[in-house]
Amino acid sequence: MTFGVEARSAILTNGAGLRPEYQGADTLVKLAASRSLVVFFPMHVDLKKLVPELRGHYPADTPVAVVVEAGYAAKERVIRGTLETILDKLGEQDIPFSHLVYVGDFLKDHWDIF
């Protein structure tokens, strides 16, 4: 995960920085400024709010992977896109709580999944 072109760091977060009542120092703006790989855990993540926020800091062609039911072979699925396309690819799908959202150029440059 740490072999990106723009940055070689990974940030794990729950996306609380998107909530207006959150007053912590680790806001999404500060986290995204480094263009590090970001992995969002599902609590507090509204992709319809998250993606436009990230597009203010990452290029529109930055890869995104929404991994649903990771580790459960019968249920696991990965929805792939970019910050520009991921919301259209997700459409109105009901994404269960058990998912992770990966954002970063490492997805494109080191694993041929895009």
Side-chain angles (χ1 to χ4, degrees):
M1 292 189 330
T2 57
F3 290 102
V5 174
E6 291 286 328
R8 300 260 169 127
S9 299
I11 298 169
L12 306 175
T13 184
N14 68 3
L18 291 171
R19 299 174 66 97
E21 68 273 11
Y22 181 71
Q23 299 298 310
D26 56 342
T27 64
L28 182 59
V29 170
K30 289 181 182 176
L31 296 177
S34 69
R35 290 194 182 170
S36 296
L37 156 71
V38 182
V39 180
F40 291 93
F41 291 87
M43 66 281 291
H44 308 301
V45 174
D46 178 346
L47 290 171
K48 291 178 182 173
K49 291 180 182 176
L50 175 67
V51 171
E53 287 285 331
L54 290 173
R55 286 191 63 184
H57 304 283
Y58 290 83
D61 66 347
T62 300
V64 177
V66 179
V67 182
V68 178
E69 303 284 353
Y72 296 95
K75 295 180 180 181
E76 184 176 294
R77 60 189 167 112
V78 180
I79 301 108
R80 297 171 177 91
T82 64
L83 286 173
E84 185 172 13
T85 65
I86 194 66
L87 292 177
D88 289 336
K89 290 188 176 207
L90 289 169
E92 295 301 317
Q93 292 183 52
D94 183 32
I95 304 297
F97 183 78
S98 53
H99 72 280
L100 297 171
V101 179
Y102 291 81
V103 179
D105 64 8
F106 87 99
L107 291 165
K108 177 173 60 178
D109 294 330
H110 293 283
W111 285 278
D112 191 27
I113 62 172
F114 284 89

